[in-house]
């Protein structure tokens, strides 16, 4: 047993455990946090596969950004957990059947199908100076450039459509115009008028002072 | 599995642990005296004396603070999620210490000389946000929750600008290894990356201040609105872990700015003839420490100078100014590289 094998099994156990906790924990925030743990442990397994760039971008993108936004939403939600659990027993057989079928399908494809290990030669370990990121970039910007650009365009369309769904037009907008605020200066805001000093006659001041003194 | 193997591993493990202690111990000490330096500096900037009672000139103030924090009881609020409440500060401080693994202090003087050091740093700084979110949520307090929301949104937004700024560094150095990034800047003060990447340096530095939740970006603990933000329910050591992590992050940002844009351990007198000869005896680590200390000083200076930003202005600065600036400058960097002006 080598060090890698120990690392693999311990983190694979973490992945399985935390993935199970995602679907079994009663609190949705804790479920989301367990999903974060799943991602983190999965990224260690990717590191073992010598996919360092993917492993670290899994942490940066999914753990660092996507899950944070998801947690925002989950924390804000007011969930009625009792209502969620209704009909659990009634639906359980279907759920078990569906998951067993899915598991069987996956198992078949991994062991017998196109993706089974028999079809591939065992990959060789790369040397320490092998740069994952360079290879990935080369392939992405040459062989798969069209697929890559298409994915980028699809993402852009998704962003625009998400904005279009919530955009209600420019009416009734009270947003501040920063450039206008910055351009404001003393000359067009403040008008200094010179006028004669007004001298008031000192009458009935004595009474006011006395009253204030009593208040204190 | 033979016995020899096991002994080998154990030796490697112990050696790595020793190295970790050699990095963490000075770091914690630096944090303790950074708090002292900050209080003194801000005191002088505001015409006060700062702490001057404990020990000569207040030198023992950080020690006294630490003792006080250790003695205090950790109160777990009612209705809070206990496990998460305790885990949160650990999750906050863990990544901020772990990021130091790839920081090179001199040529070859680094704990883990990995190829993807830059990405690793980004990954570690982005994990830190979980400590904030979990602390805010587990406290079962509205103030803490609001503080956590603000802080997390701010960290996620500024991470983008920071990442883009680092892409510029990556393009220039053709490497994501922090050691290689430093060595690719060799050749004197003018070939450091602050010159070709000046807008990115500004973006990176200000985003770094925002990432560490420091003034003027300390919306997370805007005491006039939400008491103390996400760590309002924490006391004693649990609070001091947040405090420690914040200062460790500040020092990390200072070191990273020195490494990415100011030539890391390289001497500023390189290629200047006599000056280079005279200063050749100074080890690279000293240069790095001088540069990093300057940036740490700038952080204190910023805090003493600027009032706190308003929240919508922070978001505007991050999304509408910094990200476009970096997006414009990246093609410029590409042109600079292609035209060969970097060499």
């Amino acid at each position: 047993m080598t060090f890698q094998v120990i690392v693999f099994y311990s983190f694979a156990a973490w992945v399985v455990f935390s993935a199970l906790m995602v679907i079994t924990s009663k609190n949705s925030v804790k479920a989301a946090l367990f999903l974060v743990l799943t991602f983190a442990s999965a990224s260690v397994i990717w590191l073992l596969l010598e996919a360092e760039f993917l492993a670290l971008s899994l942490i940066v993108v999914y753990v660092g950004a996507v899950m944070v936004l998801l947690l925002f939403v989950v924390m804000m939600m007011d969930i009625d957990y009792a209502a969620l659990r209704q009909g659990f027993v009634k639906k359980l057989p279907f759920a078990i059947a569906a998951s067993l079928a899915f598991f069987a399908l996956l198992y078949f494809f991994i062991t017998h199908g196109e993706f089974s290990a028999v079809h591939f030669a065992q990959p060789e370990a790369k040397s320490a100076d092998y740069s994952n990121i360079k290879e990935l970039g080369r392939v992405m910007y040459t062989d798969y450039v069209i697929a890559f650009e298409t994915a980028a365009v699809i993402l852009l369309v998704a962003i625009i459509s998400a904005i279009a769904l919530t955009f209600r037009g420019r009416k009734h907008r009270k947003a501040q115009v920063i450039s206008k605020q910055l351009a404001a200066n003393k000359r067009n805001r403040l008008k200094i008028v010179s006028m004669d000093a007004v001298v008031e006659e000192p009458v009935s001041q004595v009474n006011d002072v006395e009253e204030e003194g009593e208040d204190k | 599995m033979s016995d020899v193997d096991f002994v080998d591993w154990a030796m490697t493990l112990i050696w790595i642990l020793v190295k970790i202690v050699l990095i963490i111990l000075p770091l914690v000490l630096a944090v303790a005296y950074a708090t002292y330096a900050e209080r003194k500096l801000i005191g002088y900037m505001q015409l006060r004396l700062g702490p001057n009672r404990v020990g000569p000139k207040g030198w023992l103030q950080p020690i006294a603070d630490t003792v006080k924090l250790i003695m205090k009881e950790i109160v777990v609020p009612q209705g809070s999620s206990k496990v998460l409440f305790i885990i949160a500060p650990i999750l906050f401080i863990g990544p901020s210490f772990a990021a130091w693994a790839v920081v090179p202090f001199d040529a070859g003087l680094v704990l883990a000389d990995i190829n993807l050091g830059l990405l690793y740093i980004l990954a570690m700084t982005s994990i830190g946000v979980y400590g904030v979110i979990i602390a805010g949520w587990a406290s079962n307090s509205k103030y803490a929750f609001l503080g956590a929301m603000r802080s997390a949104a701010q960290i996620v937004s500024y991470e983008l600008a920071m990442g883009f700024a680092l892409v510029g560094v990556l393009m220039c150095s053709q490497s994501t290894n922090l050691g290689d990034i430093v060595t690719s800047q060799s050749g004197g003060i003018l070939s450091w990356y602050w010159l070709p990447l000046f807008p990115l340096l500004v973006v990176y530095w200000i985003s770094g201040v925002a990432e560490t939740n420091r003034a003027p970006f300390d919306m997370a603990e805007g005491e006039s609105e939400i008491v103390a933000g996400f760590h309002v329910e924490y006391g004693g050591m649990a609070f001091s872990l947040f405090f420690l992590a914040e200062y460790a992050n500040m020092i990390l940002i200072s070191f990273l700015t020195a490494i990415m844009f100011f030539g890391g351990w390289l001497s500023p007198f390189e290629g200047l003839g006599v000056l280079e000869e005279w200063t050749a005896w100074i080890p690279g680590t000293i240069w790095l420490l001088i540069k990093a200390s300057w940036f740490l000083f700038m952080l204190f200076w910023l805090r003493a100078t600027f009032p706190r930003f308003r929240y919508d202005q922070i978001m505007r600065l991050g999304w509408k100014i910094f990200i476009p600036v970096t997006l414009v400058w990246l093609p410029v960097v590409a042109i600079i590289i292609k035209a060969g002006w970097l060499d």
Side-chain angles (χ1 to χ4, degrees):
Chain A
M1 198 149 67
T2 58
F3 182 63
Q4 279 91 336
V5 176
I6 294 174
V7 172
F8 172 77
Y9 278 112
S10 41
F11 279 93
W14 270 116
V15 172
V16 173
F17 165 74
S18 51
L20 277 175
M21 288 307 285
V22 171
I23 51 173
T24 52
S25 52
K26 284 173 186 162
N27 190 321
S28 51
V29 173
K30 280 180 187 163
L33 288 175
F34 273 115
L35 189 56
V36 173
L37 185 60
T38 317
F39 282 144
S41 331
S43 103
V44 175
I45 290 177
W46 285 9
L47 274 181
L48 283 178
L49 290 171
E50 299 184 357
E52 302 95 358
F53 178 72
L54 288 181
L56 284 176
S57 36
L58 179 73
I59 298 275
V60 173
V61 178
Y62 282 88
V63 176
V66 175
M67 286 308 295
V68 172
L69 299 180
L70 187 95
L71 263 176
F72 268 24
V73 178
V74 169
M75 282 175 174
M76 298 284 195
M77 279 193 305
D78 187 23
I79 302 169
D80 184 8
Y81 293 105
L84 276 182
R85 248 170 281 151
Q86 257 175 8
F88 179 74
V89 180
K90 214 166 72 183
K91 289 168 192 159
L92 193 62
F94 298 103
I96 290 177
S99 40
L100 275 181
F102 187 64
F103 180 78
L105 208 63
L106 269 184
Y107 186 77
F108 175 78
F109 270 108
I110 290 169
T111 52
H112 296 82
E114 219 177 310
F115 300 114
S116 99
V118 261
H119 296 306
F120 298 98
Q122 191 168 2
E124 279 172 33
K126 300 282 190 297
S127 60
D129 59 343
Y130 175 79
S131 175
N132 211 284
I133 192 168
K134 253 181 201 157
E135 289 301 316
L136 208 65
R138 185 172 303 145
V139 176
M140 222 146 67
Y141 287 101
T142 53
D143 296 355
Y144 299 104
V145 67
I146 294 174
F148 183 63
E149 293 294 331
T150 316
V153 171
I154 290 172
L155 277 177
L156 184 67
V157 171
I159 294 172
I160 293 172
S161 53
I163 294 171
L165 277 176
T166 50
F167 188 61
R168 295 274 179 269
R170 287 184 168 275
K171 268 184 281 178
H172 310 303
R173 239 161 115 256
K174 282 184 179 168
Q176 49 184 341
V177 184
I178 304 283
S179 52
K180 229 180 196 174
Q181 292 182 338
L182 290 177
N185 55 23
K186 195 171 142 192
R187 228 177 306 132
N188 49 29
R189 283 288 167 89
L190 186 72
K191 197 175 171 190
I192 299 175
V193 188
S194 63
M195 54 192 284
D196 296 332
V198 182
V199 183
E200 275 182 42
E201 287 172 46
V203 278
S204 73
Q205 288 283 316
V206 184
N207 284 339
D208 288 354
V209 172
E210 266 176 14
E211 270 167 29
E212 271 174 26
E214 275 165 18
D215 281 343
K216 277 170 192 170
Chain B
M1 179 177 156
S2 60
D3 288 335
V4 184
D5 245 12
F6 182 73
V7 172
D8 242 24
W9 293 352
M11 286 310 290
T12 319
L13 184 71
I14 290 169
W15 186 225
I16 291 174
L17 283 178
V18 168
K19 284 183 189 164
I20 290 174
V21 170
L22 281 180
I23 294 176
I24 296 294
L25 216 58
L27 179 64
V28 173
L29 268 179
V31 165
Y33 278 91
T35 62
Y36 172 74
E38 174 172 30
R39 290 166 70 181
K40 270 288 191 200
L41 278 172
I42 294 182
Y44 288 140
M45 284 176 191
Q46 296 168 348
L47 296 180
R48 293 183 286 115
L49 285 176
N52 64 349
R53 294 288 147 149
V54 191
K57 303 211 170 215
W59 275 100
L60 295 177
Q61 183 69 44
I63 313 287
D65 287 344
T66 317
V67 172
K68 185 197 104 179
L69 284 168
I70 291 173
M71 305 282 272
K72 275 177 102 174
E73 184 193 358
I74 297 174
V75 183
V76 182
Q78 217 170 28
S80 65
S81 174
K82 275 201 187 74
V83 178
L84 287 179
F85 188 79
I86 299 298
I87 284 179
I90 303 169
L91 267 182
F92 194 54
I93 199 165
S96 67
F97 278 176
W100 284 88
V102 295
V103 173
F105 295 96
D106 201 342
L109 196 65
V110 51
L111 176 61
D113 191 14
I114 58 173
N115 279 336
L116 288 169
L118 200 70
L119 208 62
Y120 174 81
I121 293 264
L122 272 181
M124 285 304 127
T125 47
S126 65
I127 289 180
V129 68
Y130 280 99
V132 174
I133 296 182
I134 293 174
W137 184 77
S139 298
N140 192 28
S141 151
K142 286 192 180 75
Y143 291 119
F145 188 63
L146 283 174
M149 286 286 152
R150 281 184 176 192
S151 169
Q154 180 183 328
I155 291 176
V156 170
S157 321
Y158 277 87
E159 229 166 51
L160 287 171
M162 215 171 177
F164 274 127
L166 291 184
V167 168
V169 176
L170 192 153
M171 283 164 76
C172 284
S173 62
Q174 311 271 312
S175 168
T176 46
N177 181 316
L178 291 183
D180 290 349
I181 288 175
V182 172
T183 44
S184 68
Q185 299 180 49
S186 54
I189 207 163
L190 289 179
S191 54
W192 295 350
Y193 288 152
W194 66 272
L195 192 60
L197 301 180
F198 191 74
L200 298 186
L201 163 69
V202 174
V203 168
Y204 180 81
W205 173 244
I206 298 176
S207 311
V209 180
E211 276 277 290
T212 48
N213 275 332
R214 290 288 301 178
F217 297 96
D218 56 347
M219 290 307 301
E221 41 179 301
E223 63 266 10
S224 49
E225 304 131 27
I226 48 171
V227 198
F230 59 91
H231 56 50
V232 65
E233 301 289 347
Y234 285 85
M237 271 324 271
F239 163 75
S240 66
L241 282 188
F242 281 115
F243 204 66
L244 200 66
E246 184 184 316
Y247 278 78
N249 276 334
M250 280 161 58
I251 299 176
L252 180 72
I253 288 293
S254 313
F255 267 85
L256 288 180
T257 314
I259 287 169
M260 309 278 186
F261 297 96
F262 286 87
W265 66 76
L266 299 172
S267 156
F269 301 122
E270 229 172 319
L272 287 181
V274 189
L275 267 177
E276 189 185 359
E277 270 173 47
W278 285 352
T279 55
W281 57 274
I282 299 175
T285 316
I286 300 291
W287 287 123
L288 180 60
L289 284 176
I290 291 173
K291 291 168 190 172
S293 309
W294 166 252
F295 288 112
L296 197 59
F297 169 73
M298 291 244 299
L299 276 173
F300 301 152
W301 191 4
L302 279 176
R303 183 174 165 190
T305 309
F306 292 114
R308 187 175 292 132
F309 262 97
R310 212 172 60 203
Y311 194 71
D312 60 315
Q313 289 172 337
I314 286 188
M315 284 298 163
R316 177 175 169 269
L317 183 70
W319 288 99
K320 289 189 175 171
I321 299 179
F322 280 176
I323 292 178
V325 164
T326 50
L327 285 180
V328 167
W329 202 255
L330 286 183
V332 176
V333 171
I335 292 167
I336 290 175
I337 293 169
K338 275 292 160 196
W341 292 335
L342 262 189
D343 313 314

